[in-house]
Amino acid sequence: MSQASVADTLREYLSLLELLDDAYWEASSIQHKDMLYDIISIFSQEVAEMNKLSIMDHHYPYEVITEGIRRVVPKLERLDENREDVIQRTQTLTDFRDILSSVLGILEAQLATM
């Protein structure tokens, strides 16, 4: 698989953030909300930094910008393992499974090159 561009990665991260926000509001426990909020915070910081890039740079290969994003993979994997308990709505759960594999692919490809 070729390395994802900044534009592709930004699109995937924004889609994930939208789903995580839905999952946060649907979560039934404080522990689940805390876990989701932590992940949302990490991706929000990365997206904020990516938005500082010139639109003309969006065709370049994506490279991790923030330190937090380097450590988010285990958190995403833990969320994936517990997704049936954490994510309540069927539609959110279905969409989450689809987008998570794409985001993990981007992150794992990035971290493998470091």
Side-chain angles (χ1 to χ4, degrees), residues 3-4 6 9 13 42-43 45-47 49-50 53 61-73 103 106-114:
Q3 190 173 1
V6 171
T9 302
Y13 285 4
I42 291 168
F43 277 97
Q45 289 173 348
E46 185 75 4
V47 165
E49 292 300 318
M50 291 172 74
L53 297 172
Y62 167 69
E63 293 180 14
V64 169
I65 301 170
T66 62
E67 189 60 33
I69 206 80
R70 298 176 200 275
R71 298 188 200 115
V72 78
V73 172
V103 168
I106 291 168
L107 289 171
E108 287 169 352
Q110 269 300 297
L111 299 176
T113 62
M114 294 183 163

PDB file of all heavy atoms in Angstrom, residues 3-4 6 9 13 42-43 45-47 49-50 53 61-73 103 106-114:
ATOM      1  N   GLN A   3       1.896   5.158   0.681  1.00  0.00           N
ATOM      2  CA  GLN A   3       1.718   5.992   1.865  1.00  0.00           C
ATOM      3  C   GLN A   3       0.583   6.982   1.629  1.00  0.00           C
ATOM      4  O   GLN A   3       0.472   7.585   0.568  1.00  0.00           O
ATOM      5  CB  GLN A   3       3.016   6.718   2.164  1.00  0.00           C
ATOM      6  CG  GLN A   3       3.006   7.417   3.487  1.00  0.00           C
ATOM      7  CD  GLN A   3       4.363   7.995   3.829  1.00  0.00           C
ATOM      8  OE1 GLN A   3       5.306   7.887   3.064  1.00  0.00           O
ATOM      9  NE2 GLN A   3       4.450   8.614   4.976  1.00  0.00           N
ATOM     10  N   ALA A   4      -0.249   7.171   2.630  1.00  0.00           N
ATOM     11  CA  ALA A   4      -1.391   8.072   2.531  1.00  0.00           C
ATOM     12  C   ALA A   4      -0.916   9.524   2.450  1.00  0.00           C
ATOM     13  O   ALA A   4       0.059   9.905   3.085  1.00  0.00           O
ATOM     14  CB  ALA A   4      -2.302   7.895   3.736  1.00  0.00           C
ATOM     15  N   VAL A   6      -1.457  13.699   2.951  1.00  0.00           N
ATOM     16  CA  VAL A   6      -1.972  14.532   4.037  1.00  0.00           C
ATOM     17  C   VAL A   6      -3.490  14.680   3.896  1.00  0.00           C
ATOM     18  O   VAL A   6      -4.229  14.550   4.875  1.00  0.00           O
ATOM     19  CB  VAL A   6      -1.275  15.916   4.044  1.00  0.00           C
ATOM     20  CG1 VAL A   6      -1.957  16.868   5.016  1.00  0.00           C
ATOM     21  CG2 VAL A   6       0.203  15.768   4.380  1.00  0.00           C
ATOM     22  N   THR A   9      -5.292  11.405   4.850  1.00  0.00           N
ATOM     23  CA  THR A   9      -5.198  11.190   6.289  1.00  0.00           C
ATOM     24  C   THR A   9      -6.115  12.149   7.039  1.00  0.00           C
ATOM     25  O   THR A   9      -6.825  11.737   7.959  1.00  0.00           O
ATOM     26  CB  THR A   9      -3.744  11.375   6.765  1.00  0.00           C
ATOM     27  OG1 THR A   9      -2.922  10.446   6.051  1.00  0.00           O
ATOM     28  CG2 THR A   9      -3.613  11.142   8.250  1.00  0.00           C
ATOM     29  N   TYR A  13      -9.030  11.016   9.569  1.00  0.00           N
ATOM     30  CA  TYR A  13      -9.013  11.458  10.968  1.00  0.00           C
ATOM     31  C   TYR A  13     -10.281  12.229  11.316  1.00  0.00           C
ATOM     32  O   TYR A  13     -10.827  12.066  12.404  1.00  0.00           O
ATOM     33  CB  TYR A  13      -7.787  12.326  11.247  1.00  0.00           C
ATOM     34  CG  TYR A  13      -6.478  11.569  11.366  1.00  0.00           C
ATOM     35  CD1 TYR A  13      -6.392  10.194  11.153  1.00  0.00           C
ATOM     36  CD2 TYR A  13      -5.306  12.237  11.683  1.00  0.00           C
ATOM     37  CE1 TYR A  13      -5.189   9.518  11.257  1.00  0.00           C
ATOM     38  CE2 TYR A  13      -4.096  11.566  11.797  1.00  0.00           C
ATOM     39  CZ  TYR A  13      -4.045  10.217  11.581  1.00  0.00           C
ATOM     40  OH  TYR A  13      -2.844   9.563  11.696  1.00  0.00           O
ATOM     41  N   ILE A  42      -6.331  13.555  21.458  1.00  0.00           N
ATOM     42  CA  ILE A  42      -5.111  13.255  20.698  1.00  0.00           C
ATOM     43  C   ILE A  42      -5.316  13.536  19.213  1.00  0.00           C
ATOM     44  O   ILE A  42      -4.488  14.200  18.573  1.00  0.00           O
ATOM     45  CB  ILE A  42      -4.683  11.790  20.931  1.00  0.00           C
ATOM     46  CG1 ILE A  42      -4.187  11.620  22.370  1.00  0.00           C
ATOM     47  CG2 ILE A  42      -3.613  11.358  19.924  1.00  0.00           C
ATOM     48  CD1 ILE A  42      -4.003  10.166  22.798  1.00  0.00           C
ATOM     49  N   PHE A  43      -6.417  13.052  18.656  1.00  0.00           N
ATOM     50  CA  PHE A  43      -6.666  13.278  17.229  1.00  0.00           C
ATOM     51  C   PHE A  43      -6.980  14.736  16.937  1.00  0.00           C
ATOM     52  O   PHE A  43      -6.613  15.246  15.867  1.00  0.00           O
ATOM     53  CB  PHE A  43      -7.779  12.356  16.713  1.00  0.00           C
ATOM     54  CG  PHE A  43      -7.274  10.998  16.362  1.00  0.00           C
ATOM     55  CD1 PHE A  43      -7.379   9.946  17.255  1.00  0.00           C
ATOM     56  CD2 PHE A  43      -6.656  10.758  15.145  1.00  0.00           C
ATOM     57  CE1 PHE A  43      -6.896   8.691  16.938  1.00  0.00           C
ATOM     58  CE2 PHE A  43      -6.160   9.511  14.819  1.00  0.00           C
ATOM     59  CZ  PHE A  43      -6.280   8.469  15.718  1.00  0.00           C
ATOM     60  N   GLN A  45      -5.639  17.330  18.381  1.00  0.00           N
ATOM     61  CA  GLN A  45      -4.349  18.027  18.323  1.00  0.00           C
ATOM     62  C   GLN A  45      -3.659  17.773  16.988  1.00  0.00           C
ATOM     63  O   GLN A  45      -3.104  18.688  16.384  1.00  0.00           O
ATOM     64  CB  GLN A  45      -3.454  17.584  19.472  1.00  0.00           C
ATOM     65  CG  GLN A  45      -3.904  18.094  20.815  1.00  0.00           C
ATOM     66  CD  GLN A  45      -3.090  17.501  21.959  1.00  0.00           C
ATOM     67  OE1 GLN A  45      -2.331  16.545  21.779  1.00  0.00           O
ATOM     68  NE2 GLN A  45      -3.244  18.065  23.140  1.00  0.00           N
ATOM     69  N   GLU A  46      -3.688  16.520  16.534  1.00  0.00           N
ATOM     70  CA  GLU A  46      -3.041  16.189  15.256  1.00  0.00           C
ATOM     71  C   GLU A  46      -3.740  16.908  14.103  1.00  0.00           C
ATOM     72  O   GLU A  46      -3.084  17.477  13.223  1.00  0.00           O
ATOM     73  CB  GLU A  46      -3.047  14.671  15.040  1.00  0.00           C
ATOM     74  CG  GLU A  46      -2.304  14.222  13.801  1.00  0.00           C
ATOM     75  CD  GLU A  46      -0.778  14.273  13.919  1.00  0.00           C
ATOM     76  OE1 GLU A  46      -0.246  14.588  15.009  1.00  0.00           O
ATOM     77  OE2 GLU A  46      -0.114  14.001  12.904  1.00  0.00           O
ATOM     78  N   VAL A  47      -5.058  16.900  14.104  1.00  0.00           N
ATOM     79  CA  VAL A  47      -5.820  17.562  13.038  1.00  0.00           C
ATOM     80  C   VAL A  47      -5.568  19.069  13.060  1.00  0.00           C
ATOM     81  O   VAL A  47      -5.417  19.695  12.000  1.00  0.00           O
ATOM     82  CB  VAL A  47      -7.330  17.231  13.153  1.00  0.00           C
ATOM     83  CG1 VAL A  47      -8.172  18.159  12.311  1.00  0.00           C
ATOM     84  CG2 VAL A  47      -7.574  15.781  12.762  1.00  0.00           C
ATOM     85  N   GLU A  49      -2.869  20.590  13.959  1.00  0.00           N
ATOM     86  CA  GLU A  49      -1.545  20.806  13.361  1.00  0.00           C
ATOM     87  C   GLU A  49      -1.583  20.590  11.844  1.00  0.00           C
ATOM     88  O   GLU A  49      -0.939  21.325  11.093  1.00  0.00           O
ATOM     89  CB  GLU A  49      -0.502  19.903  14.009  1.00  0.00           C
ATOM     90  CG  GLU A  49      -0.193  20.255  15.447  1.00  0.00           C
ATOM     91  CD  GLU A  49       0.340  21.665  15.617  1.00  0.00           C
ATOM     92  OE1 GLU A  49       1.184  22.104  14.806  1.00  0.00           O
ATOM     93  OE2 GLU A  49      -0.101  22.338  16.565  1.00  0.00           O
ATOM     94  N   MET A  50      -2.326  19.594  11.412  1.00  0.00           N
ATOM     95  CA  MET A  50      -2.427  19.334   9.975  1.00  0.00           C
ATOM     96  C   MET A  50      -3.122  20.492   9.265  1.00  0.00           C
ATOM     97  O   MET A  50      -2.785  20.814   8.118  1.00  0.00           O
ATOM     98  CB  MET A  50      -3.187  18.027   9.719  1.00  0.00           C
ATOM     99  CG  MET A  50      -2.421  16.797  10.159  1.00  0.00           C
ATOM    100  SD  MET A  50      -3.406  15.295  10.076  1.00  0.00           S
ATOM    101  CE  MET A  50      -3.438  15.021   8.306  1.00  0.00           C
ATOM    102  N   LEU A  53      -0.998  23.316   7.855  1.00  0.00           N
ATOM    103  CA  LEU A  53      -0.238  23.117   6.622  1.00  0.00           C
ATOM    104  C   LEU A  53      -0.921  23.842   5.470  1.00  0.00           C
ATOM    105  O   LEU A  53      -2.148  23.959   5.434  1.00  0.00           O
ATOM    106  CB  LEU A  53      -0.140  21.628   6.278  1.00  0.00           C
ATOM    107  CG  LEU A  53       0.595  20.742   7.268  1.00  0.00           C
ATOM    108  CD1 LEU A  53       0.434  19.282   6.883  1.00  0.00           C
ATOM    109  CD2 LEU A  53       2.063  21.117   7.334  1.00  0.00           C
ATOM    110  N   PRO A  61       3.062  12.999   1.120  1.00  0.00           N
ATOM    111  CA  PRO A  61       2.812  11.885   2.049  1.00  0.00           C
ATOM    112  C   PRO A  61       2.671  12.403   3.475  1.00  0.00           C
ATOM    113  O   PRO A  61       3.386  13.315   3.894  1.00  0.00           O
ATOM    114  CB  PRO A  61       4.054  11.000   1.907  1.00  0.00           C
ATOM    115  CG  PRO A  61       4.664  11.374   0.599  1.00  0.00           C
ATOM    116  CD  PRO A  61       4.316  12.818   0.389  1.00  0.00           C
ATOM    117  N   TYR A  62       1.758  11.798   4.202  1.00  0.00           N
ATOM    118  CA  TYR A  62       1.512  12.181   5.596  1.00  0.00           C
ATOM    119  C   TYR A  62       2.656  11.726   6.483  1.00  0.00           C
ATOM    120  O   TYR A  62       3.178  10.630   6.337  1.00  0.00           O
ATOM    121  CB  TYR A  62       0.206  11.555   6.074  1.00  0.00           C
ATOM    122  CG  TYR A  62      -0.009  11.624   7.560  1.00  0.00           C
ATOM    123  CD1 TYR A  62      -0.248  12.835   8.190  1.00  0.00           C
ATOM    124  CD2 TYR A  62       0.049  10.476   8.343  1.00  0.00           C
ATOM    125  CE1 TYR A  62      -0.434  12.903   9.561  1.00  0.00           C
ATOM    126  CE2 TYR A  62      -0.145  10.535   9.716  1.00  0.00           C
ATOM    127  CZ  TYR A  62      -0.381  11.760  10.315  1.00  0.00           C
ATOM    128  OH  TYR A  62      -0.561  11.809  11.671  1.00  0.00           O
ATOM    129  N   GLU A  63       3.038  12.592   7.411  1.00  0.00           N
ATOM    130  CA  GLU A  63       4.004  12.265   8.459  1.00  0.00           C
ATOM    131  C   GLU A  63       3.408  12.709   9.786  1.00  0.00           C
ATOM    132  O   GLU A  63       2.839  13.792   9.884  1.00  0.00           O
ATOM    133  CB  GLU A  63       5.333  12.987   8.229  1.00  0.00           C
ATOM    134  CG  GLU A  63       6.067  12.512   7.002  1.00  0.00           C
ATOM    135  CD  GLU A  63       7.385  13.255   6.800  1.00  0.00           C
ATOM    136  OE1 GLU A  63       7.848  13.936   7.737  1.00  0.00           O
ATOM    137  OE2 GLU A  63       7.934  13.141   5.701  1.00  0.00           O
ATOM    138  N   VAL A  64       3.546  11.881  10.806  1.00  0.00           N
ATOM    139  CA  VAL A  64       3.037  12.197  12.137  1.00  0.00           C
ATOM    140  C   VAL A  64       3.621  13.528  12.603  1.00  0.00           C
ATOM    141  O   VAL A  64       4.811  13.782  12.430  1.00  0.00           O
ATOM    142  CB  VAL A  64       3.411  11.067  13.117  1.00  0.00           C
ATOM    143  CG1 VAL A  64       3.144  11.471  14.551  1.00  0.00           C
ATOM    144  CG2 VAL A  64       2.655   9.803  12.770  1.00  0.00           C
ATOM    145  N   ILE A  65       2.762  14.361  13.209  1.00  0.00           N
ATOM    146  CA  ILE A  65       3.204  15.680  13.660  1.00  0.00           C
ATOM    147  C   ILE A  65       3.328  15.734  15.181  1.00  0.00           C
ATOM    148  O   ILE A  65       4.369  16.124  15.700  1.00  0.00           O
ATOM    149  CB  ILE A  65       2.244  16.780  13.166  1.00  0.00           C
ATOM    150  CG1 ILE A  65       2.166  16.766  11.631  1.00  0.00           C
ATOM    151  CG2 ILE A  65       2.673  18.149  13.676  1.00  0.00           C
ATOM    152  CD1 ILE A  65       1.088  17.641  11.055  1.00  0.00           C
ATOM    153  N   THR A  66       2.284  15.341  15.895  1.00  0.00           N
ATOM    154  CA  THR A  66       2.279  15.474  17.352  1.00  0.00           C
ATOM    155  C   THR A  66       2.784  14.201  18.027  1.00  0.00           C
ATOM    156  O   THR A  66       2.711  13.111  17.465  1.00  0.00           O
ATOM    157  CB  THR A  66       0.872  15.793  17.877  1.00  0.00           C
ATOM    158  OG1 THR A  66      -0.005  14.725  17.555  1.00  0.00           O
ATOM    159  CG2 THR A  66       0.354  17.101  17.297  1.00  0.00           C
ATOM    160  N   GLU A  67       3.271  14.371  19.223  1.00  0.00           N
ATOM    161  CA  GLU A  67       3.792  13.237  19.990  1.00  0.00           C
ATOM    162  C   GLU A  67       2.675  12.284  20.420  1.00  0.00           C
ATOM    163  O   GLU A  67       2.852  11.072  20.447  1.00  0.00           O
ATOM    164  CB  GLU A  67       4.557  13.744  21.214  1.00  0.00           C
ATOM    165  CG  GLU A  67       5.321  12.686  21.953  1.00  0.00           C
ATOM    166  CD  GLU A  67       6.380  11.992  21.126  1.00  0.00           C
ATOM    167  OE1 GLU A  67       6.983  12.629  20.247  1.00  0.00           O
ATOM    168  OE2 GLU A  67       6.601  10.790  21.353  1.00  0.00           O
ATOM    169  N   GLY A  68       1.516  12.814  20.750  1.00  0.00           N
ATOM    170  CA  GLY A  68       0.403  11.993  21.225  1.00  0.00           C
ATOM    171  C   GLY A  68      -0.053  10.962  20.218  1.00  0.00           C
ATOM    172  O   GLY A  68      -0.416   9.840  20.582  1.00  0.00           O
ATOM    173  N   ILE A  69      -0.024  11.317  18.962  1.00  0.00           N
ATOM    174  CA  ILE A  69      -0.508  10.401  17.922  1.00  0.00           C
ATOM    175  C   ILE A  69       0.393   9.172  17.814  1.00  0.00           C
ATOM    176  O   ILE A  69      -0.039   8.103  17.411  1.00  0.00           O
ATOM    177  CB  ILE A  69      -0.660  11.138  16.568  1.00  0.00           C
ATOM    178  CG1 ILE A  69      -1.699  10.457  15.681  1.00  0.00           C
ATOM    179  CG2 ILE A  69       0.639  11.249  15.830  1.00  0.00           C
ATOM    180  CD1 ILE A  69      -3.097  10.775  16.012  1.00  0.00           C
ATOM    181  N   ARG A  70       1.642   9.321  18.238  1.00  0.00           N
ATOM    182  CA  ARG A  70       2.571   8.176  18.233  1.00  0.00           C
ATOM    183  C   ARG A  70       2.160   7.116  19.249  1.00  0.00           C
ATOM    184  O   ARG A  70       2.515   5.966  19.128  1.00  0.00           O
ATOM    185  CB  ARG A  70       3.992   8.643  18.545  1.00  0.00           C
ATOM    186  CG  ARG A  70       4.567   9.591  17.550  1.00  0.00           C
ATOM    187  CD  ARG A  70       5.944  10.077  18.006  1.00  0.00           C
ATOM    188  NE  ARG A  70       6.334  11.305  17.354  1.00  0.00           N
ATOM    189  CZ  ARG A  70       6.921  11.373  16.163  1.00  0.00           C
ATOM    190  NH1 ARG A  70       7.175  10.273  15.510  1.00  0.00           N
ATOM    191  NH2 ARG A  70       7.244  12.524  15.642  1.00  0.00           N
ATOM    192  N   ARG A  71       1.419   7.540  20.273  1.00  0.00           N
ATOM    193  CA  ARG A  71       1.049   6.627  21.364  1.00  0.00           C
ATOM    194  C   ARG A  71      -0.419   6.212  21.339  1.00  0.00           C
ATOM    195  O   ARG A  71      -0.880   5.570  22.278  1.00  0.00           O
ATOM    196  CB  ARG A  71       1.349   7.299  22.695  1.00  0.00           C
ATOM    197  CG  ARG A  71       2.806   7.599  22.871  1.00  0.00           C
ATOM    198  CD  ARG A  71       3.072   8.091  24.279  1.00  0.00           C
ATOM    199  NE  ARG A  71       4.333   8.801  24.289  1.00  0.00           N
ATOM    200  CZ  ARG A  71       4.471  10.087  24.544  1.00  0.00           C
ATOM    201  NH1 ARG A  71       3.438  10.815  24.833  1.00  0.00           N
ATOM    202  NH2 ARG A  71       5.663  10.641  24.522  1.00  0.00           N
ATOM    203  N   VAL A  72      -1.152   6.575  20.308  1.00  0.00           N
ATOM    204  CA  VAL A  72      -2.598   6.345  20.309  1.00  0.00           C
ATOM    205  C   VAL A  72      -2.988   4.942  19.844  1.00  0.00           C
ATOM    206  O   VAL A  72      -4.078   4.478  20.157  1.00  0.00           O
ATOM    207  CB  VAL A  72      -3.326   7.438  19.485  1.00  0.00           C
ATOM    208  CG1 VAL A  72      -3.213   7.170  17.986  1.00  0.00           C
ATOM    209  CG2 VAL A  72      -4.771   7.569  19.913  1.00  0.00           C
ATOM    210  N   VAL A  73      -2.130   4.245  19.137  1.00  0.00           N
ATOM    211  CA  VAL A  73      -2.481   2.930  18.590  1.00  0.00           C
ATOM    212  C   VAL A  73      -2.941   1.947  19.672  1.00  0.00           C
ATOM    213  O   VAL A  73      -3.992   1.317  19.517  1.00  0.00           O
ATOM    214  CB  VAL A  73      -1.338   2.340  17.726  1.00  0.00           C
ATOM    215  CG1 VAL A  73      -1.628   0.905  17.334  1.00  0.00           C
ATOM    216  CG2 VAL A  73      -1.136   3.195  16.477  1.00  0.00           C
ATOM    217  N   VAL A 103      -7.713   4.022   9.628  1.00  0.00           N
ATOM    218  CA  VAL A 103      -6.877   4.873  10.479  1.00  0.00           C
ATOM    219  C   VAL A 103      -5.710   4.072  11.056  1.00  0.00           C
ATOM    220  O   VAL A 103      -4.566   4.549  11.066  1.00  0.00           O
ATOM    221  CB  VAL A 103      -7.722   5.523  11.600  1.00  0.00           C
ATOM    222  CG1 VAL A 103      -6.839   6.171  12.652  1.00  0.00           C
ATOM    223  CG2 VAL A 103      -8.685   6.541  11.010  1.00  0.00           C
ATOM    224  N   ILE A 106      -3.027   3.628   8.449  1.00  0.00           N
ATOM    225  CA  ILE A 106      -2.229   4.843   8.277  1.00  0.00           C
ATOM    226  C   ILE A 106      -1.213   4.972   9.410  1.00  0.00           C
ATOM    227  O   ILE A 106      -0.024   5.213   9.176  1.00  0.00           O
ATOM    228  CB  ILE A 106      -3.140   6.085   8.217  1.00  0.00           C
ATOM    229  CG1 ILE A 106      -3.958   6.103   6.921  1.00  0.00           C
ATOM    230  CG2 ILE A 106      -2.308   7.380   8.341  1.00  0.00           C
ATOM    231  CD1 ILE A 106      -5.072   7.119   6.901  1.00  0.00           C
ATOM    232  N   LEU A 107      -1.671   4.798  10.635  1.00  0.00           N
ATOM    233  CA  LEU A 107      -0.787   4.964  11.800  1.00  0.00           C
ATOM    234  C   LEU A 107       0.295   3.903  11.853  1.00  0.00           C
ATOM    235  O   LEU A 107       1.459   4.201  12.138  1.00  0.00           O
ATOM    236  CB  LEU A 107      -1.604   4.951  13.096  1.00  0.00           C
ATOM    237  CG  LEU A 107      -2.469   6.192  13.331  1.00  0.00           C
ATOM    238  CD1 LEU A 107      -3.387   5.973  14.515  1.00  0.00           C
ATOM    239  CD2 LEU A 107      -1.590   7.417  13.533  1.00  0.00           C
ATOM    240  N   GLU A 108      -0.070   2.669  11.598  1.00  0.00           N
ATOM    241  CA  GLU A 108       0.928   1.598  11.662  1.00  0.00           C
ATOM    242  C   GLU A 108       1.976   1.757  10.559  1.00  0.00           C
ATOM    243  O   GLU A 108       3.153   1.486  10.795  1.00  0.00           O
ATOM    244  CB  GLU A 108       0.241   0.244  11.602  1.00  0.00           C
ATOM    245  CG  GLU A 108      -0.483  -0.053  12.920  1.00  0.00           C
ATOM    246  CD  GLU A 108      -1.419  -1.263  12.866  1.00  0.00           C
ATOM    247  OE1 GLU A 108      -1.624  -1.802  11.763  1.00  0.00           O
ATOM    248  OE2 GLU A 108      -1.942  -1.639  13.922  1.00  0.00           O
ATOM    249  N   ALA A 109       1.573   2.220   9.384  1.00  0.00           N
ATOM    250  CA  ALA A 109       2.539   2.475   8.315  1.00  0.00           C
ATOM    251  C   ALA A 109       3.490   3.595   8.707  1.00  0.00           C
ATOM    252  O   ALA A 109       4.693   3.531   8.449  1.00  0.00           O
ATOM    253  CB  ALA A 109       1.809   2.837   7.013  1.00  0.00           C
ATOM    254  N   GLN A 110       2.957   4.618   9.372  1.00  0.00           N
ATOM    255  CA  GLN A 110       3.784   5.740   9.837  1.00  0.00           C
ATOM    256  C   GLN A 110       4.772   5.308  10.903  1.00  0.00           C
ATOM    257  O   GLN A 110       5.945   5.642  10.848  1.00  0.00           O
ATOM    258  CB  GLN A 110       2.892   6.834  10.428  1.00  0.00           C
ATOM    259  CG  GLN A 110       2.456   7.874   9.473  1.00  0.00           C
ATOM    260  CD  GLN A 110       3.642   8.603   8.871  1.00  0.00           C
ATOM    261  OE1 GLN A 110       4.399   9.252   9.575  1.00  0.00           O
ATOM    262  NE2 GLN A 110       3.793   8.482   7.588  1.00  0.00           N
ATOM    263  N   LEU A 111       4.284   4.555  11.863  1.00  0.00           N
ATOM    264  CA  LEU A 111       5.131   4.173  12.990  1.00  0.00           C
ATOM    265  C   LEU A 111       6.175   3.138  12.585  1.00  0.00           C
ATOM    266  O   LEU A 111       7.229   3.033  13.203  1.00  0.00           O
ATOM    267  CB  LEU A 111       4.278   3.686  14.150  1.00  0.00           C
ATOM    268  CG  LEU A 111       3.302   4.751  14.698  1.00  0.00           C
ATOM    269  CD1 LEU A 111       2.412   4.172  15.780  1.00  0.00           C
ATOM    270  CD2 LEU A 111       4.039   5.975  15.194  1.00  0.00           C
ATOM    271  N   ALA A 112       5.890   2.373  11.546  1.00  0.00           N
ATOM    272  CA  ALA A 112       6.858   1.383  11.067  1.00  0.00           C
ATOM    273  C   ALA A 112       8.055   2.060  10.405  1.00  0.00           C
ATOM    274  O   ALA A 112       9.152   1.502  10.393  1.00  0.00           O
ATOM    275  CB  ALA A 112       6.191   0.435  10.073  1.00  0.00           C
ATOM    276  N   THR A 113       7.864   3.259   9.877  1.00  0.00           N
ATOM    277  CA  THR A 113       8.962   3.965   9.193  1.00  0.00           C
ATOM    278  C   THR A 113       9.812   4.788  10.148  1.00  0.00           C
ATOM    279  O   THR A 113      10.796   5.367   9.754  1.00  0.00           O
ATOM    280  CB  THR A 113       8.418   4.896   8.084  1.00  0.00           C
ATOM    281  OG1 THR A 113       7.569   5.883   8.681  1.00  0.00           O
ATOM    282  CG2 THR A 113       7.658   4.096   7.039  1.00  0.00           C
ATOM    283  N   MET A 114       9.396   4.854  11.416  1.00  0.00           N
ATOM    284  CA  MET A 114      10.149   5.682  12.380  1.00  0.00           C
ATOM    285  C   MET A 114      11.222   4.865  13.052  1.00  0.00           C
ATOM    286  O   MET A 114      11.183   3.757  13.283  1.00  0.00           O
ATOM    287  CB  MET A 114       9.195   6.242  13.422  1.00  0.00           C
ATOM    288  CG  MET A 114       8.235   7.203  12.807  1.00  0.00           C
ATOM    289  SD  MET A 114       7.206   7.881  14.097  1.00  0.00           S
ATOM    290  CE  MET A 114       6.579   9.278  13.225  1.00  0.00           C
TER     291      MET A 114
END
